[in-house]
Amino acid sequence: MAQNFDVIVIGAGPGGYVAAIRAAQLGLKVACVEREHLGGICLNWGCIPTKALLRSAEVYHLMERAKDFGLSAEKFDYDLDKVVARSRGVAKQLTSGVGHLLKKNKVTVIMGTATIPAPGKVSVKTEKGSEELTAKNIILATGARARELPGLEPDGKRVWNYKHALKPPHMPKKLLVIGSGAIGIEFASFFNTLGAETTVVEVMDRVLPVEDAEISVLAKKQFEKQGMKIMEKATVKSLERGADKVTASIETGGKTEKLEFDTVISAVGIVGNVEDLGLEKLGVKIDRTHVVTDEYCRTGVDGLYAIGDVAGAPWLAHKASHEGTMVAELIAGQNAHPIKPNSIPGCTYCNPQVASVGLTEAKAKEAGYKVKVGKFPFIGNGKAIALGEPEGMIKTVFDAKTGELLGAHMVGAEVTELIQGYVVGKTLETTEAELMESVFPHPTLSEMMHESVLSAYGRAIHF
Ligand SMILES: Cc1cc2nc3c(=O)[nH]c(=O)nc-3n(C[C@H](O)[C@H](O)[C@H](O)COP(=O)(O)OP(=O)(O)OC[C@H]3O[C@@H](n4cnc5c(N)ncnc54)[C@H](O)[C@@H]3O)c2cc1C
């Protein structure tokens, strides 16, 4: 006989497990079905293990700079296997934590592959056979996987996707990274810091193309200073694979050149996991591999919701979790608030870090705003200089008419931790007046957030 629940969540990534826990907290009987690993891509193959790798690279980079701080670290090296083992260990610690949290909240976890044969019904193929479940509400949180372009498909030997790059079979000497979004640039930063001669190819006219144009330019300057080669408006047309090298045909400005590498990382985006679930039969609308939803994550099929990466951009863990919480509260009859796309921060943990929220200056102008723009450089901040991190900038964009904070854009040390200040400001619909009134502790990098706002109104003190 089918087991009945109030809510069945398919997928235990940051979207699914958070939705399951929140629904259980609200008194609902919840099942969470997962085919591979609790924690999803984020904890196993995404956010967390990449940050563990990048931390090793950051420590290594600081050791290289020891002299700048009056220290000597003459004999130091890295052991890639140990760096990777640490990253895998961090991922494992966190995924077992998710198992513990689900258990604590009395969520029934079923390990297996789910399909939805009819509205309100879920079939799960497990190691032992199959299980039938029913529920009035189903939350689809099946996530996404790496996009593969024809001819550039990863093979795990010389051409890698993010999973291969997280458990690399060798240390690249000459690395090509295809794509300069967050994933591509983070891997480029990691391997470049550890000594790989790194080239990044970006089809758009600048690296990190979703960021504010000035931030891209500053980030590029720093990447190049660290020895990376950046090719913009360039396309990798094909890869010729040999036993120990790959020859890439790269087209720029109408010319094609052939360059040799020993390793290639393909980071050309992701596609939603929408297949083999029975969605077409249910009449769920799919647009370019993503489930189409309204602002409450409703699919149009009664009782079926889609959250996180499977429901489209931005492909970020915190967006998935926020949607998970919102849908659980909606199902439980609470006053749920749809997520505001312009309040979702984006962070890239390369060196230097990049973080942003809201509209870029160009997008704000495109949207018809007359803007006031503030900028403050790291070189004007005491803490940045004390840290030995004088490169970077904080830029703020305001509606000139109302003072509404439209966007904030940062490049430099620790900005992924700073951006949250502006996110809170945006959520509270703050204007320049409240931000100027706020007291920022000294000496901190956060003072630059204040100064950037002041600068938009001609009042910056330290620059
Ligand atoms: C290298 C890399 C680095 C990243 N870094 C960051 C970062 O720093 N910050 C950030 O915010 N985001 C980052 N991301 C993106 C982040 O990982 C995703 O946005 C996030 O994992 C999406 O969560 P989700 O719950 O929607 O899906 P996922 O995490 O993909 O989880 C979906 C789960 O569903 C399961 N599943 C799929 N189909 C079925 C089925 N039929 N039955 C049962 N289970 C199923 C899958 O096994 C998976 O565990 C990164 C991604 C990558 C690849």
Side-chain angles (χ1 to χ4, degrees), residues 9-18 32-51 54 110-116 122-125 140-146 161-163 165-166 182-184 186-187 270 273-277 307-311 314-321 323 345-349:
V9 184
I10 305 178
Y17 85 74
V18 169
C32 184
V33 186
E34 169 56 50
R35 69 178 175 193
E36 199 179 345
H37 37 35
L38 299 181
I41 292 298
C42 173
L43 269 59
N44 294 280
W45 298 106
C47 327
I48 296 297
T50 48
K51 268 75 257 177
L54 285 159
I110 302 169
M111 291 308 290
T113 302
T115 54
I116 311 172
V122 172
S123 289
V124 187
K125 224 183 194 170
L140 194 65
T142 51
R145 60 186 185 277
N161 61 20
Y162 58 77
K163 285 194 180 176
L166 275 161
I183 294 175
E186 286 186 5
F187 282 120
I270 60 161
N273 293 325
V274 289
E275 304 86 353
D276 306 324
L277 286 155
I307 61 169
D309 279 7
V310 75
W315 299 282
L316 294 167
H318 41 281
K319 177 253 191 190
S321 299
E323 287 180 341
C347 295
T348 306
Y349 301 77

Coordinates of all heavy atoms in Angstrom, one line a residue, residues 9-18 32-51 54 110-116 122-125 140-146 161-163 165-166 182-184 186-187 270 273-277 307-311 314-321 323 345-349, ligand 1:
V9 N 9.2 15.7 -1.1 CA 10.2 16.6 -1.7 C 11.1 15.6 -2.5 O 11.5 14.6 -2.0 CB 11.0 17.3 -0.7 CG1 12.0 18.2 -1.4 CG2 10.1 18.1 0.3
I10 N 11.3 16.0 -3.8 CA 12.1 15.1 -4.6 C 13.5 15.9 -4.8 O 13.5 16.9 -5.4 CB 11.5 14.8 -6.0 CG1 10.1 14.2 -5.8 CG2 12.4 13.9 -6.9 CD1 9.4 13.9 -7.1
G11 N 14.5 15.3 -4.2 CA 15.8 15.9 -4.3 C 16.2 16.5 -2.9 O 15.4 17.2 -2.3
A12 N 17.4 16.2 -2.4 CA 17.8 16.7 -1.1 C 19.0 17.6 -1.2 O 19.9 17.5 -0.4 CB 18.2 15.5 -0.2
G13 N 19.0 18.5 -2.2 CA 20.0 19.6 -2.3 C 19.5 20.7 -1.3 O 18.6 20.5 -0.5
P14 N 20.2 21.9 -1.4 CA 19.8 23.0 -0.5 C 18.4 23.5 -0.7 O 17.8 24.1 0.2 CB 20.8 24.1 -0.9 CG 21.4 23.7 -2.2 CD 21.3 22.2 -2.3
G15 N 17.8 23.2 -1.9 CA 16.4 23.5 -2.1 C 15.6 22.5 -1.4 O 14.8 22.8 -0.5
G16 N 15.8 21.2 -1.7 CA 14.9 20.1 -1.2 C 15.0 19.9 0.3 O 14.0 19.8 1.0
Y17 N 16.3 19.8 0.8 CA 16.3 19.5 2.3 C 15.8 20.6 3.1 O 15.2 20.4 4.2 CB 17.7 18.9 2.7 CG 18.8 20.0 3.0 CD1 18.8 20.7 4.2 CD2 19.9 20.2 2.2 CE1 19.8 21.6 4.5 CE2 20.8 21.1 2.5 CZ 20.8 21.8 3.7 OH 21.7 22.7 4.0
V18 N 16.0 21.8 2.7 CA 15.5 23.0 3.5 C 14.0 23.0 3.4 O 13.3 23.2 4.4 CB 16.2 24.3 3.0 CG1 15.5 25.5 3.6 CG2 17.7 24.3 3.3
C32 N 11.4 12.9 2.0 CA 12.4 13.5 1.0 C 13.0 12.4 0.3 O 13.6 11.5 0.9 CB 13.4 14.4 1.8 SG 14.5 15.2 0.8
V33 N 12.9 12.4 -1.0 CA 13.5 11.3 -1.8 C 14.8 11.8 -2.5 O 14.8 12.9 -3.1 CB 12.5 10.9 -3.0 CG1 13.1 9.7 -3.7 CG2 11.1 10.6 -2.4
E34 N 15.9 11.0 -2.4 CA 17.1 11.5 -3.0 C 17.8 10.3 -3.6 O 17.9 9.2 -3.0 CB 18.0 12.1 -1.9 CG 19.5 12.3 -2.3 CD 19.7 13.2 -3.5 OE1 19.1 14.3 -3.5 OE2 20.4 12.7 -4.4
R35 N 18.3 10.5 -4.9 CA 18.8 9.3 -5.6 C 20.3 9.1 -5.4 O 20.8 8.0 -5.7 CB 18.5 9.5 -7.1 CG 19.3 10.6 -7.8 CD 19.0 10.7 -9.2 NE 19.7 11.8 -9.8 CZ 19.5 12.4 -11.0 NH1 18.6 11.8 -11.8 NH2 20.2 13.4 -11.4
E36 N 21.0 10.1 -4.9 CA 22.4 10.0 -4.9 C 23.1 10.4 -3.5 O 23.8 9.6 -2.9 CB 23.0 10.8 -6.0 CG 24.4 10.4 -6.4 CD 24.9 11.3 -7.5 OE1 24.2 11.9 -8.2 OE2 26.2 11.3 -7.7
H37 N 22.9 11.7 -3.2 CA 23.6 12.2 -2.0 C 22.8 13.3 -1.3 O 22.4 14.2 -2.0 CB 25.0 12.7 -2.4 CG 25.0 13.4 -3.7 ND1 24.0 14.2 -4.2 CD2 26.0 13.5 -4.6 CE1 24.3 14.7 -5.3 NE2 25.5 14.3 -5.7
L38 N 22.7 13.2 0.0 CA 22.1 14.3 0.8 C 23.0 15.5 0.6 O 24.2 15.4 0.6 CB 21.9 13.9 2.2 CG 21.1 12.7 2.6 CD1 21.0 12.4 4.1 CD2 19.7 12.8 2.0
G39 N 22.3 16.7 0.5 CA 23.1 17.9 0.3 C 23.2 18.3 -1.1 O 23.6 19.5 -1.4
G40 N 22.9 17.4 -2.1 CA 22.8 17.8 -3.5 C 24.2 18.2 -4.0 O 25.3 17.9 -3.5
I41 N 24.1 19.0 -5.1 CA 25.4 19.4 -5.8 C 26.1 20.4 -4.8 O 27.3 20.3 -4.7 CB 25.1 20.1 -7.1 CG1 24.5 19.1 -8.1 CG2 26.3 20.9 -7.7 CD1 25.5 18.0 -8.5
C42 N 25.4 21.2 -4.2 CA 26.0 22.3 -3.4 C 27.0 21.7 -2.4 O 28.2 22.1 -2.3 CB 24.9 23.1 -2.6 SG 25.5 24.2 -1.4
L43 N 26.5 20.7 -1.6 CA 27.4 20.2 -0.5 C 28.4 19.2 -1.0 O 29.5 19.1 -0.5 CB 26.6 19.6 0.6 CG 26.2 20.6 1.7 CD1 25.4 21.7 1.2 CD2 25.5 19.9 2.9
N44 N 28.1 18.5 -2.1 CA 28.9 17.4 -2.6 C 29.9 17.8 -3.7 O 31.0 17.4 -3.7 CB 28.0 16.2 -3.0 CG 27.3 15.6 -1.8 OD1 27.9 14.8 -1.1 ND2 26.0 15.9 -1.7
W45 N 29.3 18.6 -4.6 CA 30.1 18.9 -5.9 C 30.1 20.4 -6.2 O 30.3 20.7 -7.4 CB 29.6 18.1 -7.0 CG 29.7 16.6 -6.8 CD1 28.7 15.7 -6.5 CD2 31.0 15.8 -6.8 NE1 29.3 14.5 -6.3 CE2 30.6 14.5 -6.5 CE3 32.3 16.2 -7.1 CZ2 31.6 13.5 -6.5 CZ3 33.3 15.1 -7.0 CH2 32.9 13.8 -6.7
G46 N 29.7 21.2 -5.3 CA 29.6 22.6 -5.7 C 30.1 23.6 -4.7 O 31.3 23.6 -4.4
C47 N 29.2 24.4 -4.1 CA 29.6 25.5 -3.2 C 30.7 25.1 -2.2 O 31.7 25.8 -2.1 CB 28.4 26.0 -2.4 SG 26.8 25.8 -3.2
I48 N 30.4 24.0 -1.5 CA 31.3 23.8 -0.3 C 32.7 23.2 -0.7 O 33.7 23.7 -0.3 CB 30.5 22.8 0.7 CG1 29.3 23.6 1.3 CG2 31.4 22.3 1.8 CD1 29.6 24.9 2.1
P49 N 32.7 22.1 -1.5 CA 34.1 21.6 -1.8 C 34.9 22.6 -2.6 O 36.2 22.6 -2.4 CB 33.8 20.3 -2.5 CG 32.4 20.4 -3.0 CD 31.7 21.2 -2.0
T50 N 34.3 23.4 -3.4 CA 35.1 24.4 -4.1 C 35.7 25.4 -3.1 O 36.9 25.8 -3.3 CB 34.3 25.2 -5.2 OG1 33.1 25.6 -4.6 CG2 34.0 24.3 -6.4
K51 N 34.9 25.8 -2.2 CA 35.4 26.8 -1.2 C 36.6 26.2 -0.4 O 37.5 26.9 0.0 CB 34.3 27.3 -0.3 CG 33.7 28.6 -0.8 CD 32.7 28.4 -2.0 CE 33.1 28.7 -3.3 NZ 32.1 28.4 -4.3
L54 N 39.6 26.4 -2.6 CA 40.0 27.8 -2.7 C 40.7 28.3 -1.4 O 41.6 29.1 -1.5 CB 38.8 28.7 -3.1 CG 38.4 28.5 -4.6 CD1 37.0 29.0 -4.8 CD2 39.4 29.3 -5.5
I110 N 14.0 8.8 1.9 CA 14.0 7.6 1.0 C 15.1 7.7 0.0 O 15.0 8.6 -0.8 CB 12.6 7.4 0.4 CG1 11.5 7.3 1.5 CG2 12.6 6.1 -0.5 CD1 10.1 7.3 1.0
M111 N 16.1 6.8 0.0 CA 17.1 6.8 -1.0 C 16.7 6.1 -2.2 O 16.4 4.9 -2.2 CB 18.4 6.3 -0.5 CG 19.1 7.1 0.6 SD 19.4 8.9 0.3 CE 20.6 8.8 -1.0
G112 N 16.5 6.8 -3.3 CA 16.0 6.2 -4.6 C 15.7 7.2 -5.6 O 15.8 8.4 -5.3
T113 N 15.4 6.8 -6.8 CA 15.1 7.7 -7.9 C 13.5 7.8 -8.0 O 12.8 6.8 -8.2 CB 15.7 7.2 -9.2 OG1 17.1 7.0 -9.0 CG2 15.4 8.1 -10.4
A114 N 13.1 9.1 -8.0 CA 11.6 9.3 -8.0 C 11.1 9.7 -9.4 O 11.8 10.3 -10.2 CB 11.3 10.5 -7.1
T115 N 9.9 9.2 -9.7 CA 9.1 9.7 -10.8 C 7.7 10.1 -10.3 O 7.3 9.7 -9.2 CB 9.0 8.6 -11.9 OG1 8.4 7.5 -11.3 CG2 10.3 8.3 -12.6
I116 N 7.1 10.9 -11.1 CA 5.7 11.3 -10.7 C 4.7 10.8 -11.8 O 4.5 11.4 -12.8 CB 5.6 12.9 -10.7 CG1 6.8 13.4 -9.9 CG2 4.3 13.3 -10.1 CD1 6.9 15.0 -9.9
V122 N 4.0 9.6 -6.2 CA 5.4 9.5 -6.5 C 5.9 8.0 -6.4 O 5.5 7.3 -5.4 CB 6.3 10.3 -5.5 CG1 7.8 10.1 -5.7 CG2 6.0 11.8 -5.7
S123 N 6.6 7.5 -7.4 CA 7.1 6.2 -7.4 C 8.6 6.3 -7.2 O 9.3 7.1 -7.8 CB 6.9 5.4 -8.7 OG 5.6 5.1 -8.9
V124 N 9.1 5.5 -6.3 CA 10.6 5.6 -6.0 C 11.2 4.2 -6.3 O 10.8 3.2 -5.7 CB 10.8 6.0 -4.5 CG1 12.3 6.2 -4.3 CG2 10.0 7.2 -4.1
K125 N 12.2 4.2 -7.1 CA 13.0 3.0 -7.4 C 14.1 3.0 -6.4 O 15.0 3.9 -6.5 CB 13.5 3.1 -8.8 CG 13.4 1.8 -9.6 CD 14.0 2.0 -10.9 CE 13.5 0.8 -11.8 NZ 13.9 1.0 -13.1
L140 N 9.3 19.6 -6.4 CA 10.4 19.1 -7.3 C 11.6 20.0 -7.0 O 11.6 21.2 -7.2 CB 9.9 19.3 -8.7 CG 10.6 18.6 -9.8 CD1 10.5 17.1 -9.6 CD2 10.1 19.0 -11.1
A141 N 12.7 19.3 -6.6 CA 14.0 20.0 -6.3 C 15.1 19.2 -6.8 O 16.0 18.9 -6.1 CB 14.1 20.3 -4.8
T142 N 15.0 18.8 -8.1 CA 16.0 17.9 -8.7 C 17.2 18.5 -9.2 O 18.1 17.8 -9.7 CB 15.3 17.1 -9.8 OG1 14.7 18.0 -10.7 CG2 14.2 16.1 -9.3
G143 N 17.3 19.8 -9.1 CA 18.6 20.5 -9.4 C 19.0 20.5 -10.9 O 18.2 20.5 -11.8
A144 N 20.3 20.5 -11.1 CA 20.9 20.7 -12.5 C 22.2 20.0 -12.6 O 22.8 19.5 -11.6 CB 21.0 22.1 -12.8
R145 N 22.7 19.9 -13.8 CA 24.0 19.3 -14.0 C 24.8 20.1 -15.1 O 24.2 21.0 -15.7 CB 23.9 17.8 -14.5 CG 23.1 17.8 -15.8 CD 22.8 16.3 -16.2 NE 22.1 16.3 -17.5 CZ 20.8 16.4 -17.7 NH1 20.0 16.6 -16.7 NH2 20.3 16.4 -19.0
A146 N 26.1 19.8 -15.3 CA 26.9 20.6 -16.2 C 26.3 20.5 -17.6 O 25.9 19.4 -18.1 CB 28.3 20.1 -16.2
N161 N 34.7 18.3 -16.4 CA 33.6 19.1 -15.9 C 33.9 19.5 -14.4 O 35.0 19.1 -14.0 CB 32.2 18.5 -16.1 CG 32.1 17.2 -15.3 OD1 32.9 16.9 -14.4 ND2 31.2 16.3 -15.7
Y162 N 33.0 20.1 -13.7 CA 33.3 20.5 -12.4 C 33.5 19.3 -11.4 O 34.3 19.5 -10.5 CB 32.2 21.5 -11.8 CG 30.8 21.0 -11.8 CD1 30.4 20.1 -10.8 CD2 29.9 21.4 -12.7 CE1 29.1 19.7 -10.7 CE2 28.6 20.9 -12.6 CZ 28.2 20.1 -11.7 OH 26.9 19.6 -11.6
K163 N 32.9 18.2 -11.7 CA 33.1 17.1 -10.8 C 34.5 16.6 -11.0 O 35.2 16.3 -10.0 CB 32.1 15.9 -11.1 CG 30.7 16.2 -10.6 CD 29.9 15.0 -10.7 CE 28.5 15.3 -10.2 NZ 27.6 14.2 -10.2
A165 N 37.1 18.3 -12.0 CA 38.0 19.3 -11.5 C 38.1 19.3 -10.0 O 39.1 19.7 -9.4 CB 37.5 20.7 -12.0
L166 N 37.0 18.8 -9.3 CA 37.0 18.8 -7.9 C 37.8 17.6 -7.3 O 38.2 17.6 -6.2 CB 35.5 18.7 -7.3 CG 34.9 20.1 -7.2 CD1 33.4 20.0 -7.1 CD2 35.4 20.8 -5.9
A182 N 31.0 32.2 -12.7 CA 31.5 31.9 -11.4 C 32.3 30.6 -11.3 O 33.4 30.5 -10.7 CB 30.4 32.0 -10.3
I183 N 31.7 29.5 -11.9 CA 32.3 28.2 -11.7 C 33.7 28.2 -12.4 O 34.7 27.8 -11.9 CB 31.4 27.1 -12.2 CG1 30.1 27.0 -11.3 CG2 32.1 25.7 -12.3 CD1 29.1 26.0 -11.8
G184 N 33.7 28.7 -13.7 CA 34.9 28.7 -14.5 C 36.0 29.5 -13.8 O 37.2 29.1 -13.7
E186 N 36.3 30.4 -10.6 CA 36.8 29.8 -9.4 C 37.8 28.8 -9.6 O 38.9 28.7 -8.9 CB 35.6 29.3 -8.5 CG 34.8 30.5 -7.9 CD 33.7 30.0 -7.0 OE1 33.6 28.8 -6.7 OE2 32.9 30.8 -6.5
F187 N 37.6 27.9 -10.6 CA 38.6 26.8 -10.9 C 39.8 27.4 -11.5 O 40.9 27.0 -11.2 CB 38.0 25.7 -11.8 CG 37.1 24.8 -11.1 CD1 35.8 24.6 -11.4 CD2 37.6 24.0 -10.0 CE1 34.9 23.7 -10.8 CE2 36.8 23.1 -9.4 CZ 35.4 23.0 -9.7
I270 N 24.8 25.3 -17.0 CA 24.2 24.0 -16.5 C 22.8 23.8 -17.2 O 22.3 24.7 -17.8 CB 24.0 24.1 -15.0 CG1 23.1 25.3 -14.6 CG2 25.3 24.2 -14.3 CD1 22.6 25.1 -13.2
N273 N 17.7 19.2 -14.4 CA 17.3 17.8 -14.3 C 15.8 17.6 -14.4 O 15.1 17.5 -13.4 CB 17.8 17.2 -13.0 CG 19.3 17.1 -13.0 OD1 20.0 17.0 -14.0 ND2 19.9 17.3 -11.8
V274 N 15.3 17.7 -15.7 CA 13.9 17.6 -15.9 C 13.4 16.3 -16.5 O 12.2 16.0 -16.7 CB 13.4 18.8 -16.8 CG1 13.5 20.1 -16.0 CG2 14.2 18.9 -18.1
E275 N 14.4 15.5 -16.9 CA 14.1 14.2 -17.7 C 13.6 13.1 -16.8 O 14.0 13.1 -15.6 CB 15.3 13.7 -18.5 CG 15.9 14.7 -19.4 CD 16.9 15.6 -18.7 OE1 17.1 15.6 -17.5 OE2 17.6 16.4 -19.5
D276 N 12.9 12.2 -17.4 CA 12.6 10.9 -16.7 C 11.8 11.0 -15.4 O 11.9 10.2 -14.5 CB 13.8 10.0 -16.5 CG 14.6 9.8 -17.8 OD1 14.0 9.7 -18.8 OD2 15.9 9.8 -17.7
L277 N 11.1 12.1 -15.3 CA 10.3 12.3 -14.1 C 8.8 12.2 -14.3 O 8.0 12.1 -13.4 CB 10.6 13.7 -13.5 CG 11.9 13.9 -12.8 CD1 12.3 15.4 -12.9 CD2 11.8 13.4 -11.4
I307 N 11.4 24.1 -7.3 CA 12.3 25.1 -6.7 C 13.8 24.9 -7.0 O 14.1 23.8 -7.5 CB 12.2 25.1 -5.1 CG1 12.6 23.7 -4.6 CG2 10.8 25.4 -4.7 CD1 12.8 23.6 -3.1
G308 N 14.6 25.9 -6.8 CA 16.0 25.8 -7.0 C 16.4 25.7 -8.5 O 15.8 26.3 -9.3
D309 N 17.6 25.0 -8.7 CA 18.2 25.0 -10.0 C 17.2 24.5 -11.1 O 17.3 25.0 -12.3 CB 19.4 24.2 -10.0 CG 20.7 24.9 -9.5 OD1 20.5 26.1 -9.0 OD2 21.8 24.4 -9.6
V310 N 16.4 23.5 -10.8 CA 15.5 23.0 -11.8 C 14.5 24.0 -12.3 O 13.9 23.9 -13.4 CB 14.8 21.7 -11.3 CG1 13.7 21.9 -10.3 CG2 14.3 20.9 -12.5
A311 N 14.3 25.0 -11.4 CA 13.3 26.1 -11.8 C 13.9 27.3 -12.4 O 13.3 28.3 -12.6 CB 12.5 26.5 -10.5
P314 N 18.5 32.6 -10.9 CA 19.9 32.3 -10.8 C 20.2 31.0 -10.1 O 19.5 30.6 -9.2 CB 20.4 33.5 -9.9 CG 19.3 33.9 -9.0 CD 18.0 33.6 -9.9
W315 N 21.2 30.3 -10.6 CA 21.5 28.9 -10.1 C 22.4 29.1 -8.9 O 23.6 28.9 -9.0 CB 22.2 28.1 -11.2 CG 21.3 28.0 -12.4 CD1 20.2 27.1 -12.6 CD2 21.3 28.7 -13.7 NE1 19.6 27.3 -13.8 CE2 20.2 28.3 -14.5 CE3 22.1 29.8 -14.1 CZ2 20.0 28.8 -15.7 CZ3 21.9 30.3 -15.4 CH2 20.8 29.8 -16.2
L316 N 21.7 29.3 -7.8 CA 22.5 29.6 -6.5 C 21.8 28.8 -5.4 O 20.6 28.7 -5.3 CB 22.5 31.1 -6.2 CG 23.2 32.0 -7.2 CD1 22.9 33.4 -7.0 CD2 24.7 31.7 -7.1
A317 N 22.6 28.3 -4.5 CA 22.1 27.5 -3.4 C 21.1 28.3 -2.5 O 20.1 27.8 -2.1 CB 23.3 27.0 -2.6
H318 N 21.5 29.6 -2.2 CA 20.6 30.4 -1.3 C 19.3 30.7 -1.9 O 18.3 30.9 -1.2 CB 21.4 31.6 -0.8 CG 22.1 32.4 -1.9 ND1 23.4 32.0 -2.3 CD2 21.9 33.5 -2.6 CE1 23.8 32.8 -3.2 NE2 22.9 33.7 -3.4
K319 N 19.3 30.8 -3.3 CA 18.0 31.0 -4.0 C 17.1 29.7 -3.8 O 16.0 29.8 -3.5 CB 18.2 31.3 -5.4 CG 17.0 31.5 -6.3 CD 16.9 30.3 -7.2 CE 15.8 30.5 -8.3 NZ 15.6 29.2 -9.0
A320 N 17.8 28.6 -4.0 CA 17.1 27.3 -3.8 C 16.5 27.2 -2.4 O 15.3 26.8 -2.2 CB 18.0 26.1 -4.1
S321 N 17.3 27.4 -1.4 CA 16.9 27.3 0.0 C 15.7 28.3 0.3 O 14.8 27.9 1.0 CB 18.0 27.6 1.0 OG 19.1 26.7 0.7
E323 N 13.6 29.6 -1.8 CA 12.3 29.1 -2.4 C 11.8 27.9 -1.6 O 10.6 27.8 -1.5 CB 12.6 28.7 -3.9 CG 12.9 29.9 -4.7 CD 13.2 29.6 -6.2 OE1 13.5 28.4 -6.5 OE2 13.0 30.5 -7.0
P345 N 21.7 38.0 -3.7 CA 23.1 38.3 -4.0 C 23.8 37.2 -4.8 O 23.4 36.0 -4.7 CB 23.7 38.4 -2.6 CG 22.8 37.5 -1.7 CD 21.5 37.6 -2.3
G346 N 24.9 37.6 -5.5 CA 25.7 36.6 -6.2 C 27.2 36.8 -5.7 O 27.6 37.9 -5.6
C347 N 27.8 35.7 -5.5 CA 29.2 35.8 -5.0 C 30.1 34.8 -5.8 O 29.7 33.7 -6.1 CB 29.3 35.3 -3.5 SG 28.4 36.4 -2.4
T348 N 31.3 35.3 -6.1 CA 32.3 34.5 -6.7 C 33.6 34.5 -5.9 O 34.1 35.6 -5.6 CB 32.6 35.0 -8.2 OG1 31.4 35.1 -8.9 CG2 33.5 34.0 -8.9
Y349 N 34.1 33.3 -5.5 CA 35.1 33.2 -4.5 C 36.5 33.1 -5.1 O 37.4 32.4 -4.5 CB 34.8 32.1 -3.6 CG 33.4 32.2 -2.9 CD1 32.3 32.0 -3.6 CD2 33.3 32.7 -1.6 CE1 31.0 32.2 -3.1 CE2 32.1 32.8 -1.0 CZ 30.9 32.6 -1.8 OH 29.7 32.8 -1.2
Ligands
LIG1 C1 31.3 23.9 -9.0 C2 30.1 24.6 -8.4 C3 30.3 25.6 -7.5 C4 29.2 26.2 -7.0 N1 29.3 27.2 -6.0 C5 28.3 27.9 -5.5 C6 28.4 28.9 -4.5 O1 29.5 29.2 -4.1 N2 27.3 29.5 -4.1 C7 26.1 29.2 -4.5 O2 25.1 29.7 -4.1 N3 25.9 28.2 -5.5 C8 27.0 27.6 -6.0 N4 26.8 26.6 -6.9 C9 25.4 26.3 -7.4 C10 24.7 25.4 -6.3 O3 25.4 24.2 -6.1 C11 23.3 25.1 -6.8 O4 22.6 26.3 -7.1 C12 22.5 24.3 -5.8 O5 23.1 23.1 -5.4 C13 21.0 24.1 -6.2 O6 20.3 23.4 -5.3 P1 19.1 22.5 -5.7 O7 18.6 22.0 -4.4 O8 18.2 23.2 -6.6 O9 19.7 21.3 -6.5 P2 20.9 20.3 -6.3 O10 21.9 20.8 -5.3 O11 21.4 20.0 -7.6 O12 20.2 19.0 -5.7 C14 19.3 18.3 -6.4 C15 19.2 16.9 -5.9 O13 18.2 16.1 -6.5 C16 18.6 14.8 -6.7 N5 17.7 14.2 -7.7 C17 17.7 14.6 -9.0 N6 16.8 13.9 -9.7 C18 16.2 13.0 -8.8 C19 15.2 12.0 -8.9 N7 14.6 11.8 -10.0 N8 14.9 11.4 -7.7 C20 15.6 11.6 -6.6 N9 16.5 12.6 -6.5 C21 16.8 13.3 -7.5 C22 20.1 14.9 -7.1 O14 20.7 13.7 -6.8 C23 20.5 16.1 -6.1 O15 21.1 15.6 -4.9 C24 27.9 25.9 -7.4 C25 27.7 24.9 -8.4 C26 28.8 24.2 -8.8 C27 28.6 23.1 -9.8

